[in-house]
Amino acid sequence: MTSKRADQRAPTLEQVAEQAGVSRSTVSRVINGVATVDPELRQVVQQAIEATGYVPNLAARSLVTRRTDSVALVVSEADDRDTADPFLNRIFTDPFLGRITAGALEVLRPEGIHLVIMPAEWTAQNHVVRYLRQGHVDGVLLISSHTADPLPRQLCDLNIPAVLSARPGQPLPMSYVDVEQQVGAKLAAEHLLGIGRHRLGTVSGPLDMPSAQDRLNGFRAALAVHGYPYVPSAVGDFTRGSGENATRELLAAHPDIDGLFVANDLMAEGALQALRDLGRRVPEDVAVVGFDDSVAALQCRPQLTTVHQPLEEMAAEMARLLLARISQPEARARSVIFHPRLIRRGSA
């Protein structure tokens, strides 16, 4: 009598090899992702794996390949500046992270690679670095914006494969993906001028971030070309509340502003609230343009005219660059820059 345990024994590597008509070593090479395996042979083995129901032993495989089949999405941020809006609340409610995650998964999931999301406030970065150094992941997709952030340099020094979500604040031999920030700001400036607005102001992001600097400089440079030597500005921190406060500050000092460029959509949503509270109609009294083209732009009333950056495509490219870096650690770092475009809606 055959035991139930024997009947349910898991398929073996040998059974896969017999099904495919190849050697056990060939099956092992396919499972371990060896690049030199003939594509047609690889397909035959994969069909045999599906037919037999074989499940690779990932622990044993990782000993051979030294791979974990997982990467970390690390969100690095300065310590909380506003205790009313703590770091974890910000990153998990900001539409930016959701779009980055979705874009990365489009590339990673078909490769069987897991994504681990890791918040990393600067005071807690030692714990994150320790985790990464211990080899729990194969590489890092790093969201880091502040020039003073020490994490990008640490990852370079430790030779941990990593790709940045934007141009680094300091020159580093690390791949990154970005959008033409100044071009996007120029699109906003030219649109506001094109609809007849001539008393323009802007709410920038934190000026220790290259993206915020580029958007502010691009807006000012575009207006200078058209004869506007001075652009009033106030500084926010890319949150909804900071956009509202900065807009109130800006209009208190310059009540005649009739066009406003806000450096991201969340701050623009706050700006619209401030304008409503101050009795200013949008777009009749003040036209507003944001940046990102996130879900926040569609939630605004009126819906927000904004500069679109293709975050999902950018994140997918980050994932491709990281996989290439993991496969070829000695390959040179690369930058990939995407083009923005203006999306016109009801606010301007």
Side-chain angles (χ1 to χ4, degrees):
M1 179 176 177
T2 304
S3 71
K4 185 176 181 180
R5 181 185 178 107
D7 287 340
Q8 294 184 345
R9 191 172 298 152
T12 65
L13 207 65
E14 287 76 12
Q15 289 172 320
V16 175
E18 183 179 354
Q19 174 81 16
V22 299
S23 68
R24 184 185 188 282
S25 63
T26 297
V27 175
S28 178
R29 289 165 63 215
V30 170
I31 291 171
N32 290 323
V34 176
T36 56
V37 177
D38 180 81
E40 292 184 4
L41 196 58
R42 185 185 303 276
Q43 185 177 1
V44 169
V45 172
Q46 288 171 340
Q47 289 171 347
I49 290 171
E50 293 176 9
T52 60
Y54 176 75
V55 178
N57 184 326
L58 296 181
R61 180 186 171 194
S62 66
L63 289 174
V64 175
T65 64
R66 299 186 182 274
R67 301 278 177 84
T68 66
D69 287 337
S70 62
V71 301
L73 175 60
V74 176
V75 186
S76 180
E77 179 59 272
D79 299 328
D80 280 319
R81 292 156 289 178
D82 180 0
T83 55
D85 190 13
F87 176 49
L88 287 178
N89 284 356
R90 291 202 306 271
I91 67 168
F92 289 114
T93 57
D94 190 330
F96 179 89
L97 179 63
R99 294 178 64 193
I100 289 286
T101 302
L105 286 174
E106 284 294 316
V107 172
L108 298 175
R109 187 179 286 135
E111 300 294 329
I113 295 174
H114 302 285
L115 188 66
V116 181
I117 298 177
M118 300 184 65
E121 286 182 283
W122 290 3
T123 52
Q125 282 186 352
N126 286 342
H127 302 290
V128 174
V129 171
R130 187 180 306 118
Y131 180 89
L132 299 175
R133 289 185 68 179
Q134 290 171 348
H136 294 293
V137 296
D138 298 324
V140 177
L141 300 171
L142 179 57
I143 299 176
S144 171
S145 303
H146 295 275
T147 300
D149 186 357
L151 190 53
R153 170 67 66 183
Q154 286 181 292
L155 296 182
C156 277
D157 291 345
L158 293 170
N159 205 29
I160 295 173
V163 177
L164 269 167
S165 63
R167 176 174 62 86
Q170 302 292 337
L172 291 173
M174 180 182 287
S175 294
Y176 71 86
V177 172
D178 208 343
V179 70
E180 291 177 304
Q181 307 281 0
Q182 294 201 27
V183 172
K186 179 182 177 182
L187 292 175
E190 292 181 342
H191 175 69
L192 288 168
L193 292 176
I195 61 173
R197 306 306 165 106
H198 301 290
R199 296 181 298 278
L200 304 181
T202 182
V203 174
S204 77
L207 296 181
D208 63 338
M209 293 185 177
S211 61
Q213 295 168 10
D214 287 347
R215 292 174 196 183
L216 177 60
N217 292 338
F219 189 68
R220 285 174 167 165
L223 291 179
V225 169
H226 291 277
Y228 294 82
Y230 171 68
V231 181
S233 64
V235 179
D237 65 6
F238 285 143
T239 64
R240 188 179 288 104
S242 75
E244 182 176 349
N245 293 335
T247 300
R248 293 180 187 278
E249 174 190 333
L250 191 59
L251 288 175
H254 304 277
D256 62 340
I257 283 175
D258 64 0
L260 187 62
F261 170 52
V262 187
N264 82 336
D265 292 346
L266 278 180
M267 290 198 302
E269 190 174 4
L272 292 178
Q273 181 61 55
L275 291 168
R276 280 193 295 270
D277 292 345
L278 294 168
R280 307 293 181 91
R281 298 170 301 162
V282 177
E284 293 86 354
D285 299 326
V286 182
V288 179
V289 177
F291 200 112
D292 282 339
D293 194 22
S294 67
V295 66
L298 299 175
Q299 293 172 342
C300 291
R301 293 294 177 268
Q303 290 188 339
L304 188 65
T305 294
T306 186
V307 177
H308 174 82
Q309 57 172 337
L311 281 179
E312 290 84 358
E313 296 173 40
M314 293 165 67
E317 186 61 25
M318 285 177 66
R320 283 189 284 268
L321 288 172
L322 181 60
L323 294 182
R325 187 75 169 180
I326 291 168
S327 298
Q328 296 180 296
E330 302 306 317
R332 67 176 180 86
R334 292 187 56 214
S335 58
V336 179
I337 310 299
F338 286 77
H339 301 292
R341 57 191 174 91
L342 187 82
I343 305 297
R344 185 169 182 177
R345 299 192 179 98
S347 69

